[in-house]
Amino acid sequence: MLKKIISLVLMCVATAQVVAQQPVEGLTYYLPQTVVKVRLLIQHQKFVPGRLAVYGQKYLRKQCGMEAENTYRVCGASMYATALPDTSRRYTVNLDRKKVIFNVECDNNGVLMAVNDQGKKASVPARFKPAHQQPALNPDNFMTADMLAAGSNSKLAELVAQEIFDIRDARNQINRGESDQMPKDGEQLRLMLQGLDQQETALMQLFTGVTTTDTTETEVTFVPQKGKNRVLLFRLSKWLGLVDSDDMAGAPYYMNVEQLNDVAMPELSQTDKKKDKEEPALVVAVPAKIRLTLTDEESKPIDTEEMYAAQFGDVYGISQELFSKKQVAHIRLNPITGVVEYLDVEPLK
Protein backbone atom coordinates (compact mmCIF):
# COMPACT_ATOMS: atom_id res chain seq x y z
CA MET A 1 0.00 0.00 0.00
CA LEU A 2 2.87 2.33 0.84
CA LYS A 3 4.49 1.72 -2.55
CA LYS A 4 1.20 2.45 -4.36
CA ILE A 5 0.74 5.77 -2.58
CA ILE A 6 4.37 6.76 -3.15
CA SER A 7 3.99 5.97 -6.85
CA LEU A 8 0.83 8.10 -7.01
CA VAL A 9 2.59 10.99 -5.34
CA LEU A 10 5.61 10.74 -7.63
CA MET A 11 3.32 11.19 -10.64
CA CYS A 12 2.53 14.63 -9.29
CA VAL A 13 5.94 15.76 -8.08
CA ALA A 14 8.45 18.27 -9.19
CA THR A 15 11.62 16.53 -8.04
CA ALA A 16 15.44 16.55 -8.25
CA GLN A 17 16.94 18.02 -5.09
CA VAL A 18 14.47 20.21 -3.21
CA VAL A 19 15.96 22.88 -0.98
CA ALA A 20 14.22 24.63 1.88
CA GLN A 21 12.12 27.56 0.76
CA GLN A 22 12.84 31.11 1.79
CA PRO A 23 10.19 32.44 4.16
CA VAL A 24 7.20 33.72 2.20
CA GLU A 25 3.67 34.65 3.09
CA GLY A 26 1.99 31.45 4.13
CA LEU A 27 2.23 28.70 6.70
CA THR A 28 5.61 27.35 7.79
CA TYR A 29 5.83 23.66 8.69
CA TYR A 30 8.38 20.93 9.39
CA LEU A 31 8.79 17.43 8.10
CA PRO A 32 9.19 14.86 10.88
CA GLN A 33 12.36 13.28 12.18
CA THR A 34 11.56 9.71 13.18
CA VAL A 35 12.40 8.98 16.81
CA VAL A 36 12.49 5.53 18.41
CA LYS A 37 11.21 4.91 21.92
CA VAL A 38 12.79 1.81 23.48
CA ARG A 39 10.79 0.34 26.35
CA LEU A 40 12.90 -1.78 28.67
CA LEU A 41 11.58 -4.24 31.21
CA ILE A 42 14.03 -4.17 34.11
CA GLN A 43 13.71 -7.04 36.56
CA HIS A 44 14.83 -6.33 40.12
CA GLN A 45 15.42 -9.33 42.39
CA LYS A 46 15.88 -8.81 46.12
CA PHE A 47 17.17 -11.68 48.25
CA VAL A 48 16.88 -11.65 52.05
CA PRO A 49 18.65 -14.60 53.74
CA GLY A 50 16.79 -16.72 56.28
CA ARG A 51 17.66 -16.28 59.92
CA LEU A 52 18.49 -20.01 60.17
CA ALA A 53 20.56 -20.11 56.96
CA VAL A 54 23.75 -21.17 58.79
CA TYR A 55 21.99 -24.38 59.89
CA GLY A 56 20.74 -25.35 56.43
CA GLN A 57 23.61 -27.72 55.68
CA LYS A 58 23.46 -29.38 59.12
CA TYR A 59 19.73 -30.11 59.32
CA LEU A 60 18.55 -30.10 55.68
CA ARG A 61 21.74 -30.95 53.78
CA LYS A 62 21.12 -27.76 51.84
CA GLN A 63 23.57 -24.92 51.19
CA CYS A 64 21.69 -21.67 51.84
CA GLY A 65 22.62 -18.13 50.86
CA MET A 66 23.74 -15.97 53.77
CA GLU A 67 24.26 -12.54 52.15
CA ALA A 68 21.51 -10.11 51.18
CA GLU A 69 21.56 -9.31 47.49
CA ASN A 70 19.96 -6.94 44.98
CA THR A 71 20.31 -7.75 41.27
CA TYR A 72 19.00 -6.21 38.06
CA ARG A 73 18.65 -7.52 34.52
CA VAL A 74 16.89 -6.71 31.24
CA CYS A 75 14.09 -9.25 30.87
CA GLY A 76 12.39 -7.73 27.83
CA ALA A 77 12.44 -4.88 25.33
CA SER A 78 10.21 -3.38 22.65
CA MET A 79 10.32 -0.39 20.31
CA TYR A 80 7.86 1.97 18.74
CA ALA A 81 8.28 5.05 16.56
CA THR A 82 7.33 8.64 17.26
CA ALA A 83 8.59 11.90 15.80
CA LEU A 84 10.03 15.33 16.44
CA PRO A 85 10.23 18.24 13.98
CA ASP A 86 13.26 18.08 11.70
CA THR A 87 14.65 21.62 11.86
CA SER A 88 16.73 20.97 8.74
CA ARG A 89 13.53 20.34 6.76
CA ARG A 90 11.54 23.51 7.26
CA TYR A 91 9.24 24.68 4.47
CA THR A 92 6.39 27.09 3.79
CA VAL A 93 3.06 26.56 2.08
CA ASN A 94 2.33 29.65 0.02
CA LEU A 95 -1.35 30.39 0.60
CA ASP A 96 -2.10 32.51 -2.46
CA ARG A 97 -5.31 32.68 -4.45
CA LYS A 98 -3.85 30.75 -7.36
CA LYS A 99 -3.93 27.48 -5.43
CA VAL A 100 -6.86 25.66 -3.87
CA ILE A 101 -5.45 25.21 -0.36
CA PHE A 102 -8.05 26.01 2.26
CA ASN A 103 -6.70 24.02 5.21
CA VAL A 104 -3.21 23.06 6.39
CA GLU A 105 -3.04 21.02 9.61
CA CYS A 106 0.10 20.62 11.74
CA ASP A 107 0.64 19.00 15.13
CA ASN A 108 1.70 20.94 18.22
CA ASN A 109 5.36 20.79 17.13
CA GLY A 110 4.65 22.19 13.68
CA VAL A 111 4.97 18.88 11.80
CA LEU A 112 2.76 18.78 8.71
CA MET A 113 -0.13 16.31 9.05
CA ALA A 114 -2.65 17.15 6.32
CA VAL A 115 -3.58 19.53 3.52
CA ASN A 116 -7.26 20.05 2.74
CA ASP A 117 -7.94 17.11 5.05
CA GLN A 118 -7.89 16.07 8.70
CA GLY A 119 -4.68 14.59 10.07
CA LYS A 120 -4.44 11.55 12.32
CA LYS A 121 -2.15 11.35 15.32
CA ALA A 122 0.01 8.28 15.80
CA SER A 123 -1.10 5.82 18.45
CA VAL A 124 1.15 4.88 21.38
CA PRO A 125 1.35 1.26 22.63
CA ALA A 126 -0.11 0.58 26.06
CA ARG A 127 2.29 0.71 28.98
CA PHE A 128 3.44 -2.39 30.84
CA LYS A 129 1.32 -3.36 33.84
CA PRO A 130 3.08 -5.53 36.41
CA ALA A 131 1.18 -8.52 37.75
CA HIS A 132 -0.20 -8.37 41.26
CA GLN A 133 2.19 -10.02 43.71
CA GLN A 134 1.06 -12.14 46.62
CA PRO A 135 2.57 -11.10 49.97
CA ALA A 136 5.33 -13.33 51.30
CA LEU A 137 4.35 -15.93 53.89
CA ASN A 138 5.26 -15.22 57.50
CA PRO A 139 7.01 -18.30 58.99
CA ASP A 140 6.00 -17.27 62.54
CA ASN A 141 2.38 -17.98 61.63
CA PHE A 142 3.24 -21.66 61.03
CA MET A 143 5.41 -22.33 64.09
CA THR A 144 4.42 -24.70 66.86
CA ALA A 145 4.50 -23.80 70.55
CA ASP A 146 7.81 -25.61 71.00
CA MET A 147 9.38 -23.59 68.17
CA LEU A 148 8.23 -20.30 69.65
CA ALA A 149 9.62 -21.31 73.04
CA ALA A 150 13.03 -22.43 71.69
CA GLY A 151 15.84 -20.83 73.65
CA SER A 152 18.36 -20.63 70.82
CA ASN A 153 18.51 -20.52 67.02
CA SER A 154 20.21 -23.93 67.02
CA LYS A 155 17.30 -25.51 68.87
CA LEU A 156 14.80 -23.62 66.69
CA ALA A 157 16.53 -24.89 63.54
CA GLU A 158 16.33 -28.47 64.81
CA LEU A 159 12.61 -28.19 65.55
CA VAL A 160 11.79 -26.46 62.25
CA ALA A 161 13.73 -29.05 60.25
CA GLN A 162 11.89 -31.88 62.03
CA GLU A 163 8.56 -30.20 61.28
CA ILE A 164 9.48 -29.91 57.60
CA PHE A 165 10.28 -33.63 57.45
CA ASP A 166 6.96 -34.42 59.19
CA ILE A 167 5.08 -32.32 56.63
CA ARG A 168 6.77 -34.14 53.76
CA ASP A 169 6.01 -37.49 55.34
CA ALA A 170 2.33 -36.56 55.79
CA ARG A 171 2.09 -35.47 52.17
CA ASN A 172 3.63 -38.72 50.94
CA GLN A 173 1.19 -40.76 53.04
CA ILE A 174 -1.77 -38.85 51.56
CA ASN A 175 -0.49 -39.34 48.01
CA ARG A 176 -0.09 -43.08 48.65
CA GLY A 177 -3.49 -43.35 50.35
CA GLU A 178 -1.95 -44.52 53.63
CA SER A 179 -2.90 -41.59 55.83
CA ASP A 180 -5.19 -42.06 58.83
CA GLN A 181 -7.03 -38.88 57.82
CA MET A 182 -7.64 -39.33 54.12
CA PRO A 183 -9.77 -36.65 52.40
CA LYS A 184 -13.33 -37.46 51.43
CA ASP A 185 -13.27 -36.01 47.93
CA GLY A 186 -10.98 -34.44 45.38
CA GLU A 187 -11.54 -30.86 46.55
CA GLN A 188 -10.67 -31.74 50.13
CA LEU A 189 -7.56 -33.55 48.87
CA ARG A 190 -6.50 -30.46 46.93
CA LEU A 191 -6.98 -28.19 49.97
CA MET A 192 -5.05 -30.54 52.27
CA LEU A 193 -2.09 -30.77 49.89
CA GLN A 194 -2.18 -27.01 49.32
CA GLY A 195 -2.05 -26.41 53.09
CA LEU A 196 0.91 -28.76 53.54
CA ASP A 197 2.78 -27.09 50.66
CA GLN A 198 2.13 -23.67 52.20
CA GLN A 199 3.44 -24.78 55.61
CA GLU A 200 6.59 -26.26 54.11
CA THR A 201 7.26 -23.18 51.98
CA ALA A 202 6.87 -20.83 54.94
CA LEU A 203 9.14 -22.86 57.24
CA MET A 204 11.74 -23.41 54.49
CA GLN A 205 12.07 -19.63 54.20
CA LEU A 206 13.75 -19.66 57.62
CA PHE A 207 16.64 -21.51 55.96
CA THR A 208 16.57 -20.57 52.27
CA GLY A 209 15.47 -16.95 52.69
CA VAL A 210 13.03 -14.96 50.57
CA THR A 211 13.50 -13.74 46.99
CA THR A 212 11.11 -11.07 45.70
CA THR A 213 10.95 -10.03 42.06
CA ASP A 214 9.72 -6.68 40.81
CA THR A 215 9.59 -5.71 37.11
CA THR A 216 9.39 -2.08 36.01
CA GLU A 217 9.27 -0.44 32.59
CA THR A 218 11.74 2.27 31.59
CA GLU A 219 11.67 4.23 28.33
CA VAL A 220 14.82 5.31 26.49
CA THR A 221 14.76 7.69 23.51
CA PHE A 222 16.91 7.03 20.44
CA VAL A 223 17.21 9.08 17.23
CA PRO A 224 18.56 6.97 14.33
CA GLN A 225 21.01 8.81 12.10
CA LYS A 226 22.77 7.91 8.88
CA GLY A 227 26.32 6.70 9.28
CA LYS A 228 25.95 6.00 13.00
CA ASN A 229 25.86 2.34 13.93
CA ARG A 230 26.39 0.45 17.20
CA VAL A 231 25.38 3.47 19.23
CA LEU A 232 25.60 3.20 23.02
CA LEU A 233 22.01 3.34 24.20
CA PHE A 234 22.28 2.77 27.97
CA ARG A 235 24.25 1.00 30.68
CA LEU A 236 22.90 -1.46 33.21
CA SER A 237 24.69 -2.64 36.34
CA LYS A 238 23.76 -6.03 37.79
CA TRP A 239 24.02 -4.52 41.26
CA LEU A 240 22.91 -0.90 40.72
CA GLY A 241 20.38 -1.05 37.88
CA LEU A 242 20.36 1.66 35.19
CA VAL A 243 23.34 3.99 35.49
CA ASP A 244 24.65 6.98 33.52
CA SER A 245 26.03 6.28 30.05
CA ASP A 246 29.54 7.21 31.20
CA ASP A 247 29.41 5.07 34.35
CA MET A 248 31.66 2.07 33.74
CA ALA A 249 29.94 0.17 36.56
CA GLY A 250 27.20 -0.69 34.08
CA ALA A 251 27.43 -3.07 31.12
CA PRO A 252 26.83 -1.32 27.76
CA TYR A 253 23.84 -1.99 25.53
CA TYR A 254 24.00 -0.89 21.89
CA MET A 255 21.58 0.00 19.11
CA ASN A 256 22.56 -1.17 15.63
CA VAL A 257 21.01 0.60 12.63
CA GLU A 258 20.83 -0.87 9.14
CA GLN A 259 19.21 0.79 6.14
CA LEU A 260 17.31 -1.83 4.15
CA ASN A 261 16.46 0.04 0.97
CA ASP A 262 17.34 3.14 -0.99
CA VAL A 263 14.78 5.74 -1.96
CA ALA A 264 13.92 5.29 -5.64
CA MET A 265 14.09 8.56 -7.56
CA PRO A 266 11.33 8.87 -10.19
CA GLU A 267 12.17 9.02 -13.87
CA LEU A 268 11.13 12.39 -15.27
CA SER A 269 9.64 12.98 -18.69
CA GLN A 270 10.51 16.10 -20.67
CA THR A 271 7.33 17.74 -19.35
CA ASP A 272 8.21 16.82 -15.80
CA LYS A 273 11.71 18.23 -16.21
CA LYS A 274 10.21 21.61 -17.11
CA LYS A 275 7.99 21.46 -14.03
CA ASP A 276 11.05 20.55 -11.99
CA LYS A 277 12.29 24.12 -12.36
CA GLU A 278 9.11 25.49 -10.79
CA GLU A 279 8.73 26.06 -7.07
CA PRO A 280 6.79 23.12 -5.59
CA ALA A 281 3.51 23.78 -3.84
CA LEU A 282 4.29 21.35 -1.07
CA VAL A 283 7.30 19.35 0.09
CA VAL A 284 6.75 15.86 1.50
CA ALA A 285 8.98 13.02 2.62
CA VAL A 286 9.56 9.56 1.19
CA PRO A 287 11.15 7.55 4.01
CA ALA A 288 13.52 4.62 3.83
CA LYS A 289 13.15 1.34 5.70
CA ILE A 290 15.61 0.57 8.47
CA ARG A 291 16.27 -2.33 10.83
CA LEU A 292 17.03 -1.62 14.49
CA THR A 293 18.68 -4.25 16.68
CA LEU A 294 19.24 -3.83 20.40
CA THR A 295 22.22 -5.89 21.62
CA ASP A 296 24.17 -6.40 24.82
CA GLU A 297 27.93 -5.96 25.16
CA GLU A 298 28.49 -9.42 23.63
CA SER A 299 26.40 -8.47 20.57
CA LYS A 300 23.61 -10.83 21.61
CA PRO A 301 20.31 -9.54 20.10
CA ILE A 302 17.63 -8.56 22.60
CA ASP A 303 15.05 -7.05 20.25
CA THR A 304 14.86 -6.34 16.51
CA GLU A 305 12.36 -4.09 14.75
CA GLU A 306 11.92 -2.84 11.20
CA MET A 307 10.34 0.55 10.51
CA TYR A 308 10.38 3.51 8.14
CA ALA A 309 12.46 6.54 9.11
CA ALA A 310 12.02 9.97 7.52
CA GLN A 311 15.63 11.10 7.94
CA PHE A 312 16.95 8.10 5.99
CA GLY A 313 14.82 8.93 2.96
CA ASP A 314 14.46 11.96 0.71
CA VAL A 315 12.09 14.86 0.14
CA TYR A 316 9.99 15.66 -2.92
CA GLY A 317 8.13 18.69 -4.06
CA ILE A 318 4.52 18.21 -5.15
CA SER A 319 3.68 20.17 -8.26
CA GLN A 320 1.48 23.26 -8.03
CA GLU A 321 -0.80 21.79 -10.73
CA LEU A 322 -2.21 19.42 -8.13
CA PHE A 323 -3.73 22.47 -6.36
CA SER A 324 -4.96 24.33 -9.43
CA LYS A 325 -8.35 25.99 -9.65
CA LYS A 326 -9.68 22.96 -11.51
CA GLN A 327 -9.40 20.51 -8.64
CA VAL A 328 -9.03 20.01 -4.89
CA ALA A 329 -6.31 17.71 -3.61
CA HIS A 330 -6.86 16.08 -0.22
CA ILE A 331 -3.56 14.91 1.30
CA ARG A 332 -2.93 13.16 4.60
CA LEU A 333 0.61 12.44 5.79
CA ASN A 334 2.02 9.96 8.26
CA PRO A 335 2.96 12.01 11.35
CA ILE A 336 5.99 9.81 12.06
CA THR A 337 7.57 9.29 8.63
CA GLY A 338 6.13 12.23 6.67
CA VAL A 339 5.06 10.01 3.77
CA VAL A 340 1.76 10.64 1.98
CA GLU A 341 -0.68 8.03 3.28
CA TYR A 342 -3.78 9.33 1.53
CA LEU A 343 -4.17 11.32 -1.68
CA ASP A 344 -7.45 12.08 -3.38
CA VAL A 345 -8.04 14.60 -6.16
CA GLU A 346 -11.57 15.94 -6.48
CA PRO A 347 -12.47 17.87 -9.67
CA LEU A 348 -14.16 21.23 -9.15
CA LYS A 349 -17.36 21.82 -11.01
Side-chain angles (χ1 to χ4, degrees):
M1 184 63 184
L2 178 62
K3 292 182 179 179
K4 292 182 179 180
I5 292 183
I6 291 177
S7 300
L8 182 58
V9 173
L10 295 183
M11 293 174 62
C12 309
V13 299
T15 63
Q17 294 184 351
V18 181
V19 296
Q21 306 172 28
Q22 296 296 324
V24 296
E25 183 178 355
L27 178 66
T28 299
Y29 67 91
Y30 296 93
L31 293 182
Q33 177 177 235
T34 304
V35 177
V36 179
K37 296 288 186 177
V38 183
R39 286 182 173 175
L40 305 170
L41 294 181
I42 308 296
Q43 186 184 80
H44 173 210
Q45 280 194 339
K46 181 180 180 181
F47 172 70
V48 179
R51 63 185 184 215
L52 304 178
V54 293
Y55 302 101
Q57 185 64 36
K58 179 179 180 180
Y59 292 109
L60 297 178
R61 299 294 187 267
K62 186 177 182 65
Q63 191 67 39
C64 301
M66 300 183 190
E67 297 292 335
E69 200 174 75
N70 283 287
T71 59
Y72 299 84
R73 72 180 185 91
V74 176
C75 63
S78 61
M79 309 178 203
Y80 71 95
T82 182
L84 290 173
D86 189 342
T87 56
S88 66
R89 292 179 173 179
R90 176 177 177 271
Y91 304 94
T92 301
V93 179
N94 189 3
L95 304 176
D96 58 36
R97 296 183 178 180
K98 297 179 181 180
K99 295 190 287 291
V100 183
I101 299 178
F102 54 83
N103 178 50
V104 178
E105 184 177 349
C106 298
D107 67 7
N108 296 333
N109 293 325
V111 174
L112 183 64
M113 297 177 64
V115 176
N116 297 337
D117 206 281
Q118 186 174 1
K120 292 184 178 180
K121 293 185 178 181
S123 59
V124 177
R127 299 292 303 220
F128 168 75
K129 292 183 179 180
H132 176 70
Q133 294 186 356
Q134 296 293 335
L137 298 172
N138 184 358
D140 293 343
N141 295 335
F142 298 88
M143 287 186 179
T144 64
D146 290 339
M147 295 178 196
L148 295 173
S152 65
N153 282 341
S154 177
K155 182 61 176 179
L156 176 61
E158 180 182 356
L159 294 172
V160 171
Q162 185 58 52
E163 183 70 12
I164 291 173
F165 290 132
D166 290 343
I167 291 172
R168 293 175 180 176
D169 185 57
R171 181 168 53 230
N172 289 335
Q173 289 183 13
I174 292 175
N175 288 331
R176 291 195 296 262
E178 299 174 355
S179 175
D180 295 335
Q181 297 178 345
M182 287 300 295
K184 297 178 180 180
D185 53 36
E187 179 63 17
Q188 189 177 14
L189 173 64
R190 185 187 68 82
L191 293 175
M192 288 181 67
L193 293 176
Q194 185 181 50
L196 292 172
D197 291 342
Q198 191 177 51
Q199 292 178 51
E200 181 182 353
T201 299
L203 294 176
M204 280 294 295
Q205 289 177 0
L206 292 168
F207 293 97
T208 59
V210 178
T211 299
T212 56
T213 302
D214 181 29
T215 303
T216 58
E217 185 180 68
T218 301
E219 197 168 79
V220 179
T221 300
F222 173 68
V223 182
Q225 295 181 5
K226 286 186 177 180
K228 291 188 177 182
N229 194 19
R230 195 171 166 77
V231 179
L232 177 63
L233 187 64
F234 65 93
R235 287 182 179 271
L236 180 77
S237 167
K238 180 180 179 181
W239 312 110
L240 303 174
L242 283 173
V243 296
D244 294 336
S245 58
D246 58 352
D247 190 340
M248 297 299 128
Y253 287 75
Y254 299 96
M255 184 67 79
N256 298 293
V257 184
E258 177 186 359
Q259 184 166 343
L260 299 180
N261 64 347
D262 296 324
V263 179
M265 298 292 290
E267 296 182 2
L268 302 179
S269 64
Q270 292 298 323
T271 304
D272 292 330
K273 290 180 181 179
K274 293 181 181 179
K275 296 178 182 178
D276 183 45
K277 300 179 181 179
E278 300 177 358
E279 179 182 329
L282 188 71
V283 178
V284 298
V286 177
K289 195 173 187 180
I290 62 174
R291 178 185 292 125
L292 301 169
T293 305
L294 175 63
T295 66
D296 60 14
E297 60 181 331
E298 298 177 351
S299 298
K300 180 181 178 182
I302 297 174
D303 185 44
T304 299
E305 300 285 347
E306 293 182 4
M307 62 183 66
Y308 286 90
Q311 59 268 33
F312 283 78
D314 211 331
V315 293
Y316 296 94
I318 296 182
S319 172
Q320 297 191 32
E321 290 192 1
L322 198 63
F323 302 95
S324 66
K325 290 288 187 178
K326 300 179 181 179
Q327 57 195 12
V328 177
H330 300 274
I331 298 177
R332 188 163 60 241
L333 292 86
N334 186 296
I336 295 175
T337 64
V339 70
V340 175
E341 288 188 324
Y342 173 78
L343 172 62
D344 182 57
V345 180
E346 178 184 354
L348 290 177
K349 297 180 180 179

